[in-house]
Amino acid sequence: MKTSDFNFDLPAELLAEHPSEHRDEARLMVLDRKTQTIEHKLFKDVVDYFDEEDLFIFNNTKVFPARLYGNKEKTGAKIEVFLLRELDKETRVWDVLVDPARKIRIGNKLFFTEDESLVAEVIDNTTSRGRTLRFLFDGSYEEFRAKLKELGETPLPKYIKRAVEPEDAERYQTIYAKVEGAVAAPTAGLHFSKHLMKRLEIKGINFAEVTLHVGLGTFNPIEVEDLSKHKMESEEIIIDEKNAAIINKAVDAHRRVCAVGTTTMRALETSVSSNKKISAFNGWTNKFIYPPHDFGVANSMITNFHTPKSTLIMMIAAFAGRDFVMHAYEEAVKEKYKFYSYGDAMLIL
């Protein structure tokens, strides 16, 4: 398989700038792999495709306000700092992306507040836009994290050209988000409302949770034509014993097991053993899933519509078959489905 096998024409107006008015009223395209048929529904209709004792697996990662704006010492130039990963809690060292990067060199200081209570010093270059910063803050670790949260902005993807609005803090977060650590939302989960969760529960459907802290690597373009040469960025996964047992019970009972989102699927496929059992897992994954791939746990999945040549469309193609997926995407463009983070959803059975 080559990167160009996953290209298609995506009109710019189909990139969703805002979420649907109600979470569960986004559109839903339903793909049936067995019959190779496509249906058009609303997201809240997802409940009709599942029965008692079936299982939904959610990624409970929580997005933190990772985008900060500071000023460079001396020149006062405005610099965007995107927090990627905390490297050392004690010394407050973080991996970040900076923009514009050409102005930021080792030794530079960035000021984030008028009173200079939060300052960062550049201590290393990691990639063309990547830097390692040491934050200087006079206070406890809890106060430091509270200050980052206070100054930070919801990290909407760059394709959204509008300014961040107050509703984004809530809508760019799943309603079941618990474990802070993601810099991008697990977007398939954004469609679940409290009301829909209650309807699923009443029907006797079970829930399990995994944690995969979504990094910006999710959005990295593939620079190579040969997929086997692409390297994914690592993301952190946590699956505890309790949730592993819930998942294994549903698999053993041959229930419909639905991975909500590509991040959930990636966590499952990283921690599944050769005998199709999920083990408790606490570590990192750089697993890249593309056709052909034998999936070990989920037999259905929910996902958003992804951009051309992305690693995400490749995972979907591995799950549903490349030709069927590319046909469905053609249909999605024709029917004007909304794409990407705030876009519509797909259920694959």
Side-chain angles (χ1 to χ4, degrees):
M1 285 274 166
K2 302 195 292 288
T3 302
S4 53
D5 291 335
F6 300 92
N7 198 16
F8 62 96
D9 287 327
L10 178 58
E13 68 269 18
L14 297 187
L15 290 172
E17 286 274 321
H18 290 89
S20 56
E21 192 182 346
H22 301 290
R23 285 182 186 267
D24 58 14
E25 289 187 353
R27 294 167 74 193
L28 178 71
M29 181 186 276
V30 183
L31 271 59
D32 188 314
R33 292 181 292 172
K34 201 188 286 178
T35 59
Q36 296 282 294
T37 53
I38 293 173
E39 292 180 284
H40 303 288
K41 301 282 187 176
L42 288 179
F43 193 81
K44 59 189 178 186
D45 299 327
V46 78
V47 71
D48 300 335
Y49 294 89
F50 294 86
D51 295 317
E52 195 175 346
E53 297 301 324
D54 286 346
L55 180 69
F56 276 79
I57 309 171
F58 299 103
N59 180 4
N60 66 11
T61 188
K62 190 172 186 179
V63 179
F64 67 93
R67 191 172 272 128
L68 301 171
Y69 293 95
N71 297 97
K72 192 179 166 189
E73 63 177 335
K74 296 192 182 111
T75 67
K78 188 180 179 184
I79 306 293
E80 179 190 303
V81 173
F82 196 103
L83 302 172
L84 289 179
R85 192 175 295 158
E86 185 177 51
L87 299 178
D88 191 316
K89 198 170 163 175
E90 300 299 313
T91 56
R92 296 173 191 172
V93 172
W94 283 71
D95 262 346
V96 305
L97 294 178
V98 293
D99 195 18
R102 58 192 159 69
K103 296 182 173 177
I104 303 301
R105 298 188 174 89
I106 293 171
N108 286 161
K109 281 203 170 97
L110 300 171
F111 295 87
F112 296 94
T113 52
E114 289 286 326
D115 62 2
E116 299 184 8
S117 59
L118 183 67
V119 180
E121 185 183 4
V122 182
I123 59 173
D124 199 7
N125 293 333
T126 50
T127 61
S128 58
R129 285 180 57 216
R131 301 290 183 272
T132 304
L133 300 186
R134 181 189 291 117
F135 283 96
L136 312 169
F137 178 80
D138 197 12
S140 68
Y141 179 73
E142 287 67 31
E143 289 167 329
F144 165 63
R145 289 302 297 244
K147 180 57 85 175
L148 289 184
K149 197 168 276 191
E150 175 201 324
L151 296 173
E153 188 180 270
T154 302
L156 291 183
K158 282 286 195 188
Y159 84 87
I160 293 178
K161 299 296 181 226
R162 62 174 173 82
V164 171
E165 294 165 12
E167 72 154 2
D168 290 314
E170 182 213 343
R171 292 300 303 271
Y172 195 64
Q173 194 82 271
T174 63
I175 62 166
Y176 46 77
K178 284 193 189 102
V179 187
E180 196 169 81
V183 298
T187 53
L190 298 180
H191 304 293
F192 285 85
S193 63
K194 289 195 172 102
H195 180 64
L196 178 57
M197 296 290 269
K198 186 47 86 183
R199 286 176 64 212
L200 291 166
E201 223 174 282
I202 289 166
K203 201 166 180 183
I205 290 157
N206 295 320
F207 303 147
E209 292 183 355
V210 299
T211 306
L212 182 143
H213 291 316
V214 191
L216 277 189
T218 293
F219 307 121
N220 279 356
I222 298 187
E223 309 283 0
V224 290
E225 181 64 357
D226 178 353
L227 296 185
S228 65
K229 294 193 165 50
H230 178 66
K231 296 280 180 286
M232 292 287 279
E233 261 183 48
S234 291
E235 293 170 314
E236 189 179 8
I237 294 177
I238 306 148
I239 302 176
D240 62 24
E241 298 279 1
K242 180 184 141 206
N243 282 287
I246 294 169
I247 295 165
N248 289 332
K249 185 181 170 193
V251 171
D252 289 345
H254 304 291
R255 302 306 316 177
R256 182 163 271 175
V257 176
C258 184
V260 177
T262 55
T263 58
T264 299
M265 187 67 92
R266 198 154 170 242
L268 296 172
E269 290 301 300
T270 296
S271 54
V272 69
S273 63
S274 54
N275 63 355
K276 310 273 173 157
K277 286 279 189 284
I278 286 287
S279 311
F281 187 93
N282 193 333
W284 294 78
T285 181
N286 61 355
K287 192 171 190 67
F288 175 28
I289 299 171
Y290 59 93
H293 181 82
D294 181 23
F295 289 83
V297 184
N299 49 29
S300 60
M301 78 180 290
I302 291 169
T303 185
N304 277 24
F305 287 92
H306 307 295
T307 46
K309 300 198 285 191
S310 61
T311 59
L312 307 173
I313 193 175
M314 291 167 189
M315 182 195 287
I316 304 312
F319 190 71
R322 182 203 162 270
D323 293 349
F324 190 28
V325 165
M326 298 314 280
H327 168 62
Y329 268 60
E330 257 177 57
E331 185 88 354
V333 170
K334 196 170 82 196
E335 295 292 330
K336 298 198 168 7
Y337 275 75
K338 289 292 190 184
F339 278 67
Y340 221 32
S341 303
Y342 271 154
D344 294 315
M346 178 185 272
L347 167 64
I348 306 170
L349 300 169

